[in-house]
Amino acid sequence: MTNKTIIITGPCAAESEEQILLSAKEAKKRQVDFLRVSLWKPRTKPGFDGLGEKGIELLVKVAKMGVNPATEVIIPSHAEKVIDTVLTAVPTAKVLLWIGARNQNHYIQQEIARAMGNEKRAYLMVKNQPWPSLEHWEGIIEHVLHGGISKNRLLICHRGFSPNGHANPYGYRNVPDYEMTMKIKNKTKLPVLFDPSHTGGSVDNVFRIVKEAAKHSFDGLIIEVHPNPKNAKTDAKQQLTWKQFDELLKLV
Ligand code: PEP
Ligand code: MN
């Protein structure tokens, strides 16, 4: 890890006001950089796919508590609505939006970046695509830059690659490629975060993999933490309690 470690944490998905306000209280105590309040969830099969637009008010509530919210966005209008609502309601807030691993349409990637305009308090994070390809990953970054996002508002996140065909002794949900990630970091000079939750896929693996990742010069972590992981509507197996989160941070 580098000296200033950026920490984004919170539940996989925003599920209810109670869950998010509880999470915001814990995030505030720990002064994390951003709280995950993710409103749109790409799902393998139909199911709970997020609170959507009606959850934007939760991001406003979190921002009013002095905690900066973060959410995945899937189409450009999501970015526009979150930025307009949250940053207008709370002039001191920052928001972080991210493009998920499965959102691999270059037109949408460019348009999300374009929809973010010149708003200095809105940051964009792009995750790598599910399949291993340096060229494709570089392409995502080039597409959002082409859409007009400035480099000082752009971050990258590694969440591993689909394990198909890779050696995977610990049964990681996705297999990390630290070498490729550091190539991207050196070439782009952008901050690169690691996502031990979607890479590891289980609490044990999150602990195991964060120690591995600590040997590389990541600039931060995005970690899933839920007030009651067992009852989480998405990714229940990999979400930590706040107590586990505190233990985890001692390892980095
Ligand atoms: C997420 O971060 O909520 C997510 C869905 O992860 P990924 O895009 O890495 O699959
Ligand atoms: Mn998740």
Side-chain angles (χ1 to χ4, degrees):
M1 293 293 161
T2 53
N3 293 341
K4 167 73 185 96
T5 303
I6 302 163
I7 302 289
I8 307 171
T9 188
C12 175
E15 299 168 3
S16 68
E17 176 160 342
E18 190 197 0
Q19 173 227 28
I20 290 304
L21 296 186
L22 270 172
S23 304
K25 250 173 75 181
E26 298 296 333
K28 193 174 165 91
K29 271 192 228 159
R30 292 162 177 86
Q31 302 248 296
V32 303
D33 296 282
F34 291 94
L35 174 71
R36 283 182 66 113
V37 188
S38 202
L39 299 181
W40 294 279
K41 301 298 307 166
R43 301 303 304 271
T44 307
K45 305 238 168 125
F48 174 72
D49 58 4
L51 296 177
E53 244 179 72
K54 66 174 188 290
I56 296 179
E57 277 314 303
L58 295 180
L59 276 77
V60 172
K61 286 194 175 159
V62 164
K64 284 188 174 160
M65 290 169 67
V67 177
N68 294 316
T71 179
E72 176 157 357
V73 291
I74 297 182
I75 51 175
S77 65
H78 295 165
E80 261 161 36
K81 283 175 188 151
V82 169
I83 290 173
D84 284 354
T85 314
V86 180
L87 297 187
T88 308
V90 191
T92 50
K94 293 177 185 164
V95 291
L96 180 130
L97 309 180
W98 76 84
I99 299 178
R102 297 173 231 190
N103 200 353
Q104 295 307 319
N105 177 308
H106 85 271
Y107 176 81
I108 289 177
Q109 292 167 351
Q110 289 190 14
E111 289 299 315
I112 287 174
R114 202 162 281 132
M116 293 182 65
N118 293 322
E119 180 46 76
K120 289 189 177 55
R121 292 183 288 132
Y123 296 82
L124 178 65
M125 182 168 82
V126 290
K127 290 184 143 195
N128 61 271
Q129 75 288 351
W131 61 92
S133 157
L134 177 68
E135 203 185 355
H136 186 101
W137 193 359
E138 287 175 341
I140 303 169
I141 298 155
E142 288 170 29
H143 282 303
V144 293
L145 288 170
H146 189 74
I149 191 89
S150 54
K151 275 197 146 188
N152 58 1
R153 295 160 58 211
L154 183 59
L155 302 96
I156 299 173
C157 173
H158 187 46
R159 48 75 88 199
F161 293 114
S162 174
N164 295 350
H166 283 77
N168 188 11
Y170 300 114
Y172 291 153
R173 183 173 174 187
N174 291 289
V175 178
D177 187 332
Y178 301 116
E179 203 185 313
M180 191 192 293
T181 309
M182 291 304 136
K183 258 191 210 156
I184 294 257
K185 173 168 161 143
N186 291 334
K187 219 164 149 181
T188 61
K189 313 285 183 229
L190 291 169
V192 181
L193 278 69
F194 183 60
D195 176 345
S197 306
H198 293 92
T199 310
S202 69
V203 171
D204 284 354
N205 278 348
V206 169
F207 276 84
R208 179 176 281 123
I209 214 162
V210 98
K211 281 190 240 165
E212 252 177 56
K215 296 180 196 143
H216 303 273
S217 49
F218 283 102
D219 300 285
L221 295 166
I222 175 166
I223 304 166
E224 289 187 341
V225 179
H226 193 286
N228 187 355
K230 277 196 216 75
N231 291 338
K233 289 189 177 172
T234 58
D235 286 349
K237 268 176 38 197
Q238 70 195 30
Q239 300 202 58
L240 308 183
T241 60
W242 285 101
K243 196 161 165 247
Q244 288 170 326
F245 170 82
D246 292 337
E247 289 303 309
L248 188 82
L249 282 203
K250 290 182 193 155
L251 303 176
V252 300

